[in-house]
Amino acid sequence: MNGTIEAPTIEYALLAPILVVFGAAIVGVLVEAFAPRYLRSAIHLPLTLLSLAGAFALAVWQAVKGVPTKPAAMGAVAVDGPALFIWGTILILAFVSVLLIKDEEHFVGSAAAVPGSAEEEQSLVERASHTEVYPLLLFAVGGMLLFPAANDLLVAFVALEVMSLPLYLLCGLARRRRLLSQEAAVKYFLLGAFSSAFFLYGTALIYGYAGSVDLLKINQALGTVGGEDTLLYIGAAMLGVGLLFKIGAAPFQAWKPDVYQGSPTPITALMASGTLVAAVGALLRVFWVGLGGLDWDWRPVLYGVAILTMVVGAVLAITQTDIKRMLAYSSIAHGGFLLIGVIATGHTQAENTSALSGLLFYLVAYGFTTVGAFAVVTMVRDAGGEAWHLSRWAGLGKRSPLLAGVFAFFLLAFAGIPLTSGFFGKYAVFQAAVANGATPLVIIGVVASAIAAFFYVRVIVLMFFSDPAADGPSVVLPSRGTAAVVGIAALATVVLGVYPSPVLDLAHSAAKTLFVR
């Protein structure tokens, strides 16, 4: 054959935010290999923060310069308005999460040491630290950036793995409750591998139906390919399983409470915010762009999943006695609220834009509040580490009124109380759902929000209207990084609740440029 292979064209400028993060991760690996141990942390922290800030600046510059009109990298990556908005959100949340991670108190000195062994005790005495946390985090963030922008199912699968594999490792590095941390890492790895297998098998079936893994070409094939509907429906269902697992939607939520509880709290904060934002973005990309013409078939399924997710998250959170498990079930319930926005597709571009802009705003609001809440959790400690049992938080409002007040404010934002970011996030999503005919689902969402408000208020009552135990936990003096995270999250929650218009307008402008059929 005399044919020539055409070289691929890669728009490096459009992909610069992702490339900067991955480039910094690779440099971090080289630092681990060649830099002396005592210098690694001093190199990693500025490298990580500068790379995330630089990637954010590049994403903003790209948005200001103008959103491209077609996907980049031979159609594999969609650098459209929603992708740029989600990139900015993930990068900010990752930046503030790094400020928590810099406190080495959260991470074990030697992950290879058997819990309770003399080797582990020696690593604690020597104050050894796992500085490879930083490049692992950057690889995970790079995957989070690529996942919601993937316009190709194979690229989406690669991004899913790049995002997940570092998190599997990071989950097992908690300094205390070591067995629980290792158990969380193993559960997350095994269940994550199953979900990835579902996603990959679904990709193969969709390829068998459409003859392509490109989302735009898959959408064009809908209604034109005859006799292959079985491949289409089974493939779409398997893709949905893989994506809903990452969101933590019921009935695929079982991993979330265990992993959130066992992971180092800064890693939990990153997963609860950044991973959720990336997964919702990817779900939107696959179902709105690739399977948008099939919405009459997948909407009823997601309808049921959203209801089950909201109910499971809200009801089971009431029974929890561990603060991190309670926040995990809260995250599950919020995943159900987000699915309401995914379902709220309309018949016109204006209706879809309204639903998408509401979702984007919700992701920003929830992400900041979540990081702030977990930052507060890191500051309430017993002799053995963080005070995880809810009973230990009794009377915290009398021991530390400021910290308890900030945490109560975050809980009220989760509940969607007016003048908080959570209120406008839910309002934007619910309004779009009502406009597009999903009023029954919104009613169930309001009921689930009321149930969720019960366990949020229960914690507030426990903190302010109960007497503290004599041997109650202490509130440690926060590091500058932790104090900055709490301050930034509280400020964002207030501003987005009092004056949400700028972010809503930005989300609306971004939503208009989604690459669709």
Side-chain angles (χ1 to χ4, degrees), residues 362-511:
Y362 198 130
L363 291 173
V364 174
Y366 176 75
F368 275 110
T369 306
T370 298
V371 172
F374 281 107
V376 172
V377 171
T378 66
M379 297 164 59
V380 183
R381 298 182 187 174
D382 278 327
E386 294 167 0
W388 55 273
H389 200 280
L390 278 177
S391 63
R392 306 295 290 164
W393 288 63
L396 183 66
K398 299 176 182 179
R399 289 179 179 269
S400 180
L402 179 60
L403 186 69
V406 171
F407 191 64
F409 180 63
F410 289 142
L411 293 178
L412 292 175
F414 285 138
I417 301 301
L419 298 182
T420 66
S421 59
F423 172 78
F424 281 103
K426 288 182 180 178
Y427 175 78
V429 170
F430 289 174
Q431 181 188 42
V434 169
N436 294 333
T439 303
L441 190 59
V442 172
I443 294 173
I444 297 173
V446 171
V447 173
S449 296
I451 297 172
F454 171 78
F455 60 81
Y456 295 133
V457 172
R458 183 186 65 172
V459 177
I460 295 172
V461 170
L462 185 69
M463 291 191 297
F464 288 97
F465 298 99
S466 299
D467 293 326
D471 60 343
S474 60
V475 176
V476 299
L477 185 65
S479 65
R480 285 179 294 180
T482 302
V485 172
V486 175
I488 292 170
L491 180 63
T493 304
V494 171
V495 172
L496 293 177
V498 176
Y499 188 54
S501 298
V503 178
L504 278 171
D505 292 341
L506 187 63
H508 192 267
S509 298

